[in-house]
Amino acid sequence: MSAAWPPRGARAAAREGEGSPVSALPASLPAGPSGVTRYLQLASVLRQRIANGHWRVGDRLPTVQQLASELGVARITVRQAYGRLAAEGLITTHRGRGTHVASTAQGRGPSPALRAAINDPLQHPPALSIRILDTQRDQALPATLHEGGSADTQYLRIRKLHLHDAQPFCLVDLYVAQREHDRFPPRAIEHAKLAGLLREHGSRPLGHLHQTMTVGAAERAQADALDYPFAAPVAHVVRRLTDVDGRIVYAGDFWYRGDRFVLDTVLPADLLFAYPLAVVPATRSET
Amino acid sequence: MSAAWPPRGARAAAREGEGSPVSALPASLPAGPSGVTRYLQLASVLRQRIANGHWRVGDRLPTVQQLASELGVARITVRQAYGRLAAEGLITTHRGRGTHVASTAQGRGPSPALRAAINDPLQHPPALSIRILDTQRDQALPATLHEGGSADTQYLRIRKLHLHDAQPFCLVDLYVAQREHDRFPPRAIEHAKLAGLLREHGSRPLGHLHQTMTVGAAERAQADALDYPFAAPVAHVVRRLTDVDGRIVYAGDFWYRGDRFVLDTVLPADLLFAYPLAVVPATRSET
DNA sequence: TATCATTTGTACGTATGTATT
DNA sequence: GAATACATACGTACAAATGAT
């Protein structure tokens, strides 16, 4: 969806020489066709290194001069990127002393609890809360969600936000077969995951869960809802759950903040060779 | 100097006025320096309206004048946003006739062949080629790849680039147990996938394939190798394959260009409820 | 205390892309 | 389409704070 990132003729000396300045960025495109300013691009890479533990709290970051010559950008560009991160509280800068990591804003990647909340189709951990943004009855299933099953006639459309420890991490736009939803206890969709509700209260046994995962840049609506920078990396998952007859009982789009997303999968080797119908993702619930 | 990060005037008007040609877009776009150009943010809002079906193929979009005065932006800004979408093939503009939706662009993205090349651990399609960048013998397995199995003593480290139709889409940095690799035919790693080689020539039956997927912004090394813009979205997959004894026979990091990545998974419902050890991704090889 | 190299902060001039009128 | 204003980004230079000599 988020249309091809402009494949600008990016190419540069790809050496990893320590200390040797690597001439770099196309050096002529200020904002470039990407439309995202250079200091913001730099900021998101630095933010990522702090989030994934490459730099830890207290570590000293490269000097402005080092980064500038390594990347082939002006010092003011690095300064703006650092300024952005400082405004977010991630780093501190002091004259003569350098730039240091002040906080990680969240440990080294998503916590095990959040990983389980994302990967386990049934479990609804206490820290997970669901904020329903909007519901509409009597909707038809969009054509893009038909694939892989036959559509029912009427769906309930639900737009909702998933939060973990009160922090939004996933924006959802999904369709549940109305006849199935009407069998649920009231307000159940706020406190349980749909796969569990359909297994518990559905009219027919379930068949398959299809997932298609892509990555992209946050569009406006997603950025606003997730409290996340525009154009920052996001994961997009399309999920479709069918019953044994191949009828789609629910299908929808899930957008995850890039810094709060991990997909875990495990594939036993015997399934691996039974391709195509093979790989097996999974997350251990705890530890 | 620079403004606070997330809390831009976030508010997403979310009404769904059916039939009224001119929709209520967010009343205004964020003011002040956001680091992202205005016309791109506007393009993002419009792109989503098309993607989620608010405007369908053939529908007429508001005139430049209408949009400009509604949003309080200059006409040229709207023109640039329309130009962007036109370049993506989403809309067409004709003098005197207006601007219309040409496509929802939903089908775009990686071809089925590329999807299979990414998702099938065994298949090596003709269009796929492997460029070995570097190999080093007698390496120890890095600590970050230990998890989920016991490490062997000596590994062959391979850095390589995967191309599809001569276009790079994946950068790989992986470790193969040396004693297993030395059983392979010469240069086999350039023409077959490792899982297949290990199944064919390995000393022990295979156990499990673990995959951990995250998203992020392209670092310089990845951007250069993949011929992709710095800080553009990438998928990062860590794969670990063990034999039946739990020994890691290969493990490595895979970085995919965001615009050339799709992960497909299928989970039979009975496995779904055997959590944790459950979900099943898969891609049909053809069609 | 004084000096020095390092590093962040500020400033000026210029060029380009963006956005408004 | 033209004129204007602004933010980004480059290069350069200098001031101020820090830590070590």
Side-chain angles (χ1 to χ4, degrees):
Chain A
M1 39 211 42
S2 97
W5 267 70
R8 86 175 83 138
R11 167 258 3 272
R15 259 168 321 107
E16 283 292 340
E18 200 60 33
S20 81
V22 181
S23 93
L25 293 174
S28 56
L29 320 169
S34 82
V36 181
T37 58
R38 209 164 268 202
Y39 74 88
L40 266 200
Q41 297 180 24
L42 181 52
S44 57
V45 170
L46 301 176
R47 194 184 297 118
Q48 172 178 250
R49 288 192 193 173
I50 294 172
N52 70 20
H54 180 85
W55 290 317
R56 314 201 175 174
V57 174
D59 279 4
R60 182 176 180 182
L61 273 63
T63 68
V64 174
Q65 179 59 56
Q66 275 177 330
L67 254 190
S69 52
E70 267 178 42
L71 298 174
V73 301
R75 282 180 40 197
I76 195 172
T77 306
V78 177
R79 270 184 43 70
Q80 281 172 304
Y82 277 0
R84 190 80 173 200
L85 297 180
E88 295 170 22
L90 287 176
I91 64 175
T92 58
T93 64
H94 295 287
R95 274 184 186 177
R97 199 139 54 88
T99 305
H100 298 78
V101 178
S103 138
T104 63
Q106 65 163 58
R108 185 158 34 273
S111 68
L114 177 52
R115 288 169 81 133
I118 294 169
N119 287 276
D120 189 331
L122 301 179
Q123 187 186 342
H124 188 106
L128 172 66
S129 63
I130 296 175
R131 181 181 305 159
I132 305 288
L133 302 177
D134 186 37
T135 64
Q136 300 169 24
R137 290 184 66 85
D138 303 329
Q139 301 291 305
L141 193 65
T144 56
L145 296 176
H146 273 185
E147 203 186 326
S150 62
D152 210 336
T153 54
Q154 290 179 317
Y155 287 84
L156 175 69
R157 180 183 186 176
I158 305 174
R159 298 201 322 112
K160 58 178 179 169
L161 192 65
H162 286 197
L163 306 94
H164 193 264
D165 288 333
Q167 306 249 293
F169 69 95
C170 179
L171 177 66
V172 185
D173 182 7
L174 70 76
Y175 295 77
V176 196
Q178 207 153 288
R179 74 176 81 175
E180 304 294 342
H181 169 266
D182 292 345
R183 301 162 62 99
F184 298 167
R187 307 176 65 90
I189 57 172
E190 296 176 32
H191 302 100
K193 291 197 173 178
L194 278 169
L197 291 170
L198 287 162
R199 172 211 197 185
E200 200 75 26
H201 304 97
S203 63
R204 302 279 296 145
L206 299 180
H208 291 84
L209 175 66
H210 289 249
Q211 294 189 121
T212 302
M213 222 226 55
T214 56
V215 310
E219 303 276 355
R220 254 261 67 91
Q222 292 135 22
D224 289 344
L226 294 170
D227 191 23
Y228 194 52
F230 179 79
V234 290
H236 179 209
V237 181
V238 177
R239 293 198 170 97
R240 296 183 299 277
L241 181 63
T242 63
D243 64 19
V244 288
D245 303 324
R247 263 211 323 262
I248 294 176
V249 291
Y250 91 77
D253 293 286
F254 297 70
W255 285 277
Y256 292 90
R257 281 179 59 140
D259 59 347
R260 297 177 185 161
F261 176 77
V262 179
L263 188 70
D264 286 308
T265 77
V266 175
L267 166 63
D270 53 334
L271 281 182
L272 187 151
F273 301 117
Y275 205 79
L277 208 293
V279 199
V280 179
T283 304
R284 46 226 158 277
S285 258
E286 265 102 352
T287 70
Chain B
M1 51 160 58
S2 67
W5 170 48
R8 209 140 286 307
R11 158 229 24 251
R15 245 174 332 106
E16 290 287 340
E18 197 61 38
S20 79
V22 182
S23 57
L25 286 159
S28 68
L29 293 172
S34 71
V36 184
T37 57
R38 234 161 156 80
Y39 75 88
L40 263 200
Q41 301 191 40
L42 176 54
S44 167
V45 174
L46 302 176
R47 194 183 295 117
Q48 274 198 327
R49 294 261 153 172
I50 295 171
N52 69 20
H54 182 86
W55 289 319
R56 314 199 175 173
V57 173
D59 280 3
R60 180 177 180 180
L61 273 62
T63 66
V64 172
Q65 177 60 60
Q66 277 176 323
L67 254 192
S69 52
E70 265 181 51
L71 298 173
V73 300
R75 291 203 310 272
I76 195 172
T77 305
V78 177
R79 287 209 61 75
Q80 283 171 303
Y82 276 2
R84 183 81 176 197
L85 297 180
E88 295 172 13
L90 287 175
I91 64 175
T92 58
T93 64
H94 294 288
R95 259 205 290 241
R97 196 140 57 84
T99 305
H100 296 79
V101 178
S103 142
T104 61
Q106 286 294 342
R108 269 209 317 230
S111 68
L114 178 52
R115 287 170 81 134
I118 294 170
N119 287 275
D120 189 330
L122 299 180
Q123 188 186 342
H124 188 107
L128 172 64
S129 63
I130 296 176
R131 181 181 305 159
I132 306 288
L133 303 178
D134 185 37
T135 62
Q136 300 169 20
R137 291 184 67 84
D138 304 326
Q139 301 291 304
L141 193 66
T144 54
L145 297 175
H146 273 186
E147 206 185 325
S150 60
D152 209 338
T153 53
Q154 289 179 317
Y155 287 84
L156 175 68
R157 181 183 186 177
I158 305 174
R159 299 200 321 114
K160 59 176 181 172
L161 192 64
H162 286 198
L163 305 93
H164 193 263
D165 288 332
Q167 307 249 292
F169 69 95
C170 180
L171 176 66
V172 185
D173 182 7
L174 70 76
Y175 295 77
V176 196
Q178 209 152 287
R179 73 175 82 177
E180 305 294 342
H181 169 267
D182 292 345
R183 303 163 62 99
F184 299 167
R187 305 176 64 91
I189 56 172
E190 296 176 31
H191 303 99
K193 291 198 173 179
L194 279 169
L197 290 172
L198 288 162
R199 173 212 196 185
E200 201 74 30
H201 304 97
S203 62
R204 303 280 296 144
L206 299 180
H208 290 85
L209 175 66
H210 288 250
Q211 294 189 123
T212 302
M213 222 226 56
T214 55
V215 309
E219 302 261 355
R220 170 128 301 280
Q222 293 136 24
D224 288 343
L226 293 170
D227 192 23
Y228 194 52
F230 180 73
V234 290
H236 178 208
V237 182
V238 177
R239 293 198 171 97
R240 295 183 300 276
L241 181 62
T242 61
D243 63 19
V244 287
D245 302 323
R247 262 211 323 261
I248 295 176
V249 290
Y250 91 75
D253 293 286
F254 297 69
W255 284 277
Y256 292 89
R257 281 178 59 138
D259 59 347
R260 297 181 184 157
F261 177 79
V262 179
L263 189 71
D264 286 307
T265 76
V266 175
L267 166 63
D270 52 337
L271 281 182
L272 188 149
F273 300 118
Y275 206 80
L277 209 295
V279 198
V280 180
T283 304
R284 46 231 156 274
S285 255
E286 264 102 354
T287 68

